[in-house]
Amino acid sequence: MRFRHPDGSTVHLAYCTNVHPAETLDGVLAQLRDHCEPVRRRLGRDRLGIGLWLARDAAHALVTDPSALRGLRTDLDRRGLEVVTLNGFPYEGFGAEEVKYRVYKPDWTDPERLDHTTALARLLAGLLPDDVTEGSISTLPLAWRTRRAESAHAALRTLGERLDALRELTGRSIRVGLEPEPGCLIETTGDAIAPLTAIAHDRIGICVDTCHLATSFEDPDTALDALTRAGVPIVKTQLSAALHAEHPHLPEVREALAAFDEPRFLHQTRTATAAGLRGTDDLGEALKGEALPDGAPWRAHFHVPLHAAPAAPLTSTLDVLKTALAGLVGGPHPLTHHLEVETYTWQALPPEQRPRARAQLADGIAAELTLARDLLTDLGLKELP
């Protein structure tokens, strides 16, 4: 979906396909047929943006076979789909029964991460619509916090050189954004400023995920102002909402939270205290005993559907998303032109809230995009055909 900003520039809105697990190229093509095109039809649009996730095997198949890449581009066009952004964070196995810490491997200290991201950049240059010259890729924030970052910085400098060469070769500018996430070396937008200003490359910036922003209790306006002052490019923004518990000391609140403690993904949980941010690596850990102070609200890294806040006594951080979006695209000029709804946890919701069929999932994704569209038009952007 495309929108015209009052300054005349185009803002792109997509949804991320990591909600539809697929590790192979055949699986990706099936996603387009079974999920993405039905979402487009529900929205009544001739064109729908998707934030494509290409796992290692799918990316390898495409980068080693130019005819396969042309075939994917043809299929996208035929189904009324377009790609200006890729989710390069998960490498493989995102649909496994247990992902947890595996999602951070390989990290930016491993040469495979550099090679994979380079491949994604080459592929995106070939997938961009004919009238679009800029693409974006989100990636993990260097590594999980137990790793050292020195070699990661060197790898990102090499990536910058490769992106420059790709621009010279193709005429397409591909930018990569580190995505701060709780528990990682770069947990907050503030953590990102020093390494990104040290790297100092205009094709390497930040991906602001509004669920992660909220989980870390960051104020959106403060975060965006700091990034702007530091000259850090906001490559893309993932529109997402975290799980919020206002009174985590109450038994009924803990019982409600326990329904979201599931085995597939990490749900880092945070609370803001007078001594600073406190947290656990997972929601289950927070719910055990006194692992996390419960005198102030908790937020958990669980991407809840944008249009459907959890039932009381829980809620979501949709207000954080709204404030961030106003700062990102509500001013005289957009701070980013690539927006992506990323609710990959539909099948991790409590059983009674999960979609039971493809049609229900498509309805839910379409409802999320409708909400995002309405927020954008309320900010003065005009939806384009």
Side-chain angles (χ1 to χ4, degrees):
M1 301 168 74
R2 299 187 185 189
F3 297 81
R4 181 72 68 204
H5 189 273
D7 75 348
S9 64
T10 300
V11 173
H12 295 265
L13 172 66
Y15 90 90
C16 186
T17 64
N18 64 355
V19 66
H20 314 303
E23 300 288 319
T24 66
L25 178 55
D26 286 345
V28 170
L29 295 171
Q31 285 179 351
L32 306 184
R33 179 193 67 222
D34 297 338
H35 298 287
C36 302
E37 187 175 8
V39 170
R40 179 184 65 76
R41 293 186 182 278
R42 278 163 172 76
L43 291 166
R45 307 301 300 162
D46 293 333
R47 174 173 54 189
L48 175 67
I50 58 171
L52 202 58
W53 174 57
L54 297 172
R56 179 195 64 175
D57 289 349
H60 180 75
L62 289 166
V63 83
T64 57
D65 185 353
S67 65
L69 181 61
R70 289 193 296 270
L72 174 58
R73 173 65 188 277
T74 298
D75 204 48
L76 288 164
D77 292 342
R78 181 167 62 89
R79 299 189 185 281
L81 306 169
E82 66 177 14
V83 175
V84 303
T85 188
L86 299 180
N87 187 330
F89 197 133
Y91 177 70
E92 62 182 346
F94 200 61
E97 291 185 3
E98 182 177 331
V99 179
K100 299 290 185 181
Y101 296 94
R102 291 171 52 194
V103 76
Y104 306 108
K105 296 180 179 179
D107 60 35
W108 277 100
T109 67
D110 186 331
E112 180 55 34
R113 175 60 66 171
L114 173 61
D115 292 343
H116 178 63
T117 308
T118 302
L120 293 179
R122 292 173 55 193
L123 295 173
L124 182 55
L127 292 174
L128 289 176
D130 291 341
D131 61 343
V132 175
T133 59
E134 294 189 358
S136 62
I137 300 171
S138 48
T139 188
L140 75 162
L142 300 185
W144 187 248
R145 65 176 181 271
T146 55
R147 305 283 281 178
R148 295 180 63 85
E150 289 82 356
S151 60
H153 294 167
L156 286 168
R157 291 189 181 93
T158 299
L159 176 67
E161 296 169 358
R162 293 180 180 181
L163 295 176
D164 286 343
L166 184 65
R167 173 68 175 83
E168 290 296 317
L169 180 66
T170 67
R172 303 293 181 80
S173 176
I174 307 300
R175 300 195 298 168
V176 173
L178 305 182
E179 181 184 331
E181 177 164 306
C184 293
L185 285 175
I186 296 176
E187 175 157 341
T188 66
T189 57
D191 294 338
I193 290 175
L196 287 174
T197 52
I199 293 166
H201 197 290
D202 61 3
R203 297 192 208 283
I204 300 179
I206 194 169
C207 168
V208 176
D209 184 300
T210 58
C211 170
H212 303 172
L213 190 80
T215 301
S216 295
F217 287 86
E218 290 195 76
D219 175 70
D221 292 331
T222 302
L224 296 179
D225 286 347
L227 292 171
T228 300
R229 288 196 306 271
V232 173
I234 303 176
V235 169
K236 67 185 279 190
T237 294
Q238 288 172 326
L239 305 181
S240 53
L243 188 63
H244 180 94
E246 186 69 18
H247 303 292
H249 65 284
L250 296 176
E252 60 269 28
V253 175
R254 286 179 173 254
E255 182 180 356
L257 284 170
F260 288 84
D261 178 28
E262 54 82 38
R264 180 176 294 180
F265 302 112
L266 276 184
H267 300 296
Q268 301 94 316
T269 304
R270 299 289 185 267
T271 187
T273 73
L277 204 63
R278 292 279 301 278
T280 59
D281 284 357
D282 214 346
L283 179 56
E285 182 185 351
L287 292 169
K288 292 176 182 175
E290 299 179 357
L292 197 62
D294 60 7
W298 287 3
R299 289 177 179 171
H301 173 214
F302 194 115
H303 291 225
V304 297
L306 301 188
H307 68 293
L314 304 178
T315 187
S316 79
T317 60
L318 184 61
D319 284 348
V320 175
L321 184 159
K322 292 178 179 179
T323 301
L325 192 61
L328 287 160
V329 301
H333 304 287
L335 301 183
T336 185
H337 290 86
H338 291 179
L339 307 173
E340 177 185 67
V341 172
E342 196 213 13
T343 305
Y344 58 83
T345 42
W346 276 94
Q347 298 300 342
L349 289 167
E352 67 277 7
Q353 299 176 36
R354 296 173 193 169
R356 293 182 295 277
R358 286 178 187 167
Q360 287 181 305
L361 179 58
D363 288 342
I365 294 170
E368 290 193 286
L369 286 166
T370 297
L371 183 147
R373 179 195 64 196
D374 292 346
L375 292 177
L376 290 171
T377 56
D378 286 348
L379 290 169
L381 282 73
K382 180 180 179 182
E383 187 175 6
L384 299 175

